[in-house]
Amino acid sequence: MIFTDILMDGLPAAIAGVGFGAISHPPKRAFSYIAVLAAVGHAIRFALMNYLSLDIAFASFCAALSIGVLSLWFGRLSYCPMTVLYIPALLPMIPGMYAYRAVFALMMFMHSLHTPEVADTCMRMFFSNAIVAAGTIFLLAVGATIPTFLFPKRAYSITRK
Amino acid sequence: MNDELKETAKFIADYAACLTGSGVHTSRILRNSKRIGESLGVTIHMTVLHKSLILTAYNGQNDSFYTEVVDIPELPVNFEYNSELSSLSWKAYDKRLPLDVLWKEYRQIKAKPAMSPYLVLLLSGLANASFCKLFGGDRIAIGIVFLATLAGFFTRQQMQRRHINHFIVFTVSAFVASVCASTTLLFNTASEIAVATSVLFLIPGVPLINGVIDIVEGHTLTGSSRLMHAFLLIVCIAAGLSLSLLLFKSRLL
């Protein structure tokens, strides 16, 4: 049951990774690797959040770290720089709902300036959602970049044939 | 004047500007350019900024310098350039390719046909639809998000083809996509999720992540300008989204 849940989470993430990746024109040979990375990353985050009840920011960091390590290996297999593989794979993990709620709260805040209680609630909603969204995006990028710092030689010569 | 040095510097400047324009993080641009310089016997020092880059090529044998400042072209993000041009820099380094061969290979890489825009349109529609699924949308919401993304992304492609200002493109596309997604209000479905996911294909993920990478690696200035640019685009998305929220606000609450 847990296994199918994780699988059902990874599959849409793979499609999302490939689709958002296509917007940035990756080389064709990279698509299969991007799909695997996106699925594995999102599934790891799903498992950490649901079964170990970690928060979204730290779970995203762990998932991004795994994507980074895997992209070091996949990069060697496909002669693609790590960023080409891991940036599209990170995109499905961008916390869209939090970003949306932050925007919505900001708009409602502007609308309720004459009713201070409502404005207060909106402001709180804005800050908590914006902090989660910004923190998660930052940790996603940092997590995936750490393997580059740990294995610089390998990471820098990945496209060497 | 040392002509060979000048030609080398001109090639590397063009190469680095192309990499910068197509969404490569700064440390890779520096490494690749220096590697090509080394293979041709010159030392490269460069500064990468958001709109231009400054490069000095130094030839130690006859102690000559050449400096070049180039504007960075506004290219769409292109990871194919990222990997093929990085590969080219290693090839130049390992095989000591002469400059004319480098130019030839460089032009070949740039002449490669891009993916069909209709295929990209379809894939981004599917991507956003599966995003909606990840956020817990039901079938109706997923279907409508798919169609809304097609409409929004098509708007973006058409406007970008006409070289309309980026910020206007993002605002209008976000508005089109979120208005289309607001049709979920007619059905008994998760409208909030549908409206929220419909604009996510516009999120400038590449500059966001590249910006953080740049800052972490110490290229704070370039990283900040990338983040600032991404932030402005997000503000535009928010503006387009707010416009349609204003239209349908009473029903979304």
Side-chain angles (χ1 to χ4, degrees):
Chain A
M1 198 56 209
I2 288 180
F3 183 73
T4 46
D5 275 355
I6 293 180
L7 201 70
M8 284 317 288
D9 182 79
L11 201 65
I15 302 174
V18 167
F20 288 133
I23 302 178
S24 354
H25 297 284
K28 288 198 183 64
R29 59 179 187 280
F31 276 112
S32 48
Y33 296 101
I34 291 172
V36 174
L37 285 177
V40 170
H42 208 283
I44 288 178
R45 185 172 85 167
F46 175 81
L48 288 178
M49 281 171 70
N50 286 284
Y51 305 123
L52 294 178
S53 51
L54 285 183
D55 61 277
I56 183 170
F58 189 60
S60 300
F61 175 77
C62 298
L65 191 63
S66 337
I67 286 183
V69 172
L70 275 178
S71 73
L72 204 59
W73 178 40
F74 285 176
R76 204 73 199 108
L77 294 178
S78 61
Y79 294 111
C80 287
M82 283 167 70
T83 42
V84 169
L85 300 178
Y86 78 59
I87 293 183
L90 292 180
L91 295 183
M93 286 202 277
I94 287 190
M97 279 317 279
Y98 287 95
Y100 166 82
R101 286 200 195 106
V103 172
F104 192 76
L106 194 61
M107 206 190 73
M108 292 313 291
F109 171 76
M110 295 293 189
H111 262 273
S112 49
L113 286 177
H114 297 295
T115 40
E117 313 83 61
V118 184
D120 271 0
T121 322
C122 290
M123 206 72 261
R124 239 193 350 262
M125 188 175 152
F126 168 73
F127 273 111
S128 53
N129 282 296
I131 289 170
V132 173
T136 306
I137 291 175
F138 181 76
L139 284 176
L140 277 176
V142 170
T145 317
I146 286 179
T148 318
F149 298 145
L150 294 177
F151 309 101
K153 266 214 176 115
R154 195 182 155 109
Y156 294 165
S157 60
I158 230 161
T159 52
R160 189 178 201 171
K161 286 192 180 162
Chain B
M1 190 62 229
N2 189 333
D3 275 344
E4 204 186 317
L5 182 65
K6 187 172 161 182
E7 290 309 313
T8 308
K10 277 199 184 301
F11 172 74
I12 295 175
D14 203 87
Y15 171 91
C18 173
L19 278 183
T20 317
S22 49
V24 181
H25 59 108
T26 308
S27 69
R28 174 171 293 276
I29 300 165
L30 296 182
R31 276 199 311 275
N32 285 355
S33 308
K34 288 184 179 192
R35 193 178 297 140
I36 293 187
E38 205 178 315
S39 79
L40 295 164
V42 296
T43 313
I44 300 290
H45 299 286
M46 59 195 270
T47 301
V48 181
L49 297 169
H50 198 62
K51 284 276 187 188
S52 61
L53 63 85
I54 308 158
L55 165 153
T56 290
Y58 171 64
N59 188 336
Q61 282 170 337
N62 50 11
D63 200 31
S64 50
F65 288 96
Y66 182 77
T67 296
E68 176 89 22
V69 182
V70 283
D71 293 332
I72 290 163
E74 275 197 30
L75 303 170
V77 175
N78 191 322
F79 281 156
E80 178 128 36
Y81 288 175
N82 183 344
S83 30
E84 300 310 313
L85 293 177
S86 300
S87 230
L88 178 65
S89 76
W90 274 114
K91 208 168 160 188
Y93 185 81
D94 288 334
K95 298 189 180 160
R96 303 274 149 180
L97 298 179
L99 199 55
D100 52 326
V101 179
L102 276 177
W103 267 115
K104 204 176 127 227
E105 296 225 354
Y106 174 63
R107 291 211 174 96
Q108 263 172 11
I109 291 170
K110 284 186 80 169
K112 268 192 190 170
M115 224 166 131
S116 150
Y118 297 106
L119 184 59
V120 177
L121 180 66
L122 182 71
L123 283 175
S124 60
L126 287 174
N128 236 4
S130 36
F131 221 0
C132 184
K133 166 100 180 65
L134 284 179
F135 288 141
D138 53 15
R139 282 198 192 142
I140 302 172
I142 292 174
I144 290 180
V145 165
F146 176 70
L147 296 176
T149 310
L150 290 189
F153 198 77
F154 186 73
T155 314
R156 175 180 165 180
Q157 282 180 328
Q158 292 302 318
M159 289 177 84
Q160 273 178 340
R161 192 173 294 162
R162 289 170 180 76
H163 298 286
I164 296 170
N165 179 292
H166 268 323
F167 300 127
I168 295 173
V169 174
F170 272 65
T171 314
V172 174
S173 314
F175 177 69
V176 170
S178 52
V179 163
C180 293
S182 300
T183 52
T184 45
L185 290 167
L186 300 172
F187 305 95
N188 180 23
T189 180
S191 310
E192 197 199 11
I193 295 177
V195 176
T197 39
S198 66
V199 296
L200 289 180
F201 69 95
L202 287 165
I203 296 266
V206 177
L208 271 179
I209 295 174
N210 271 335
V212 176
I213 296 176
D214 274 354
I215 290 178
V216 173
E217 291 186 331
H219 302 285
T220 317
L221 207 55
T222 330
S224 315
S225 39
R226 280 186 214 267
L227 284 183
M228 188 52 87
H229 190 70
F231 175 72
L232 287 178
L233 291 177
I234 290 175
V235 169
C236 289
I237 299 172
L241 180 66
S242 314
L243 214 59
S244 57
L245 285 180
L246 277 177
L247 291 176
F248 303 103
K249 169 177 54 103
S250 50
R251 304 198 46 191
L252 264 176
L253 280 176

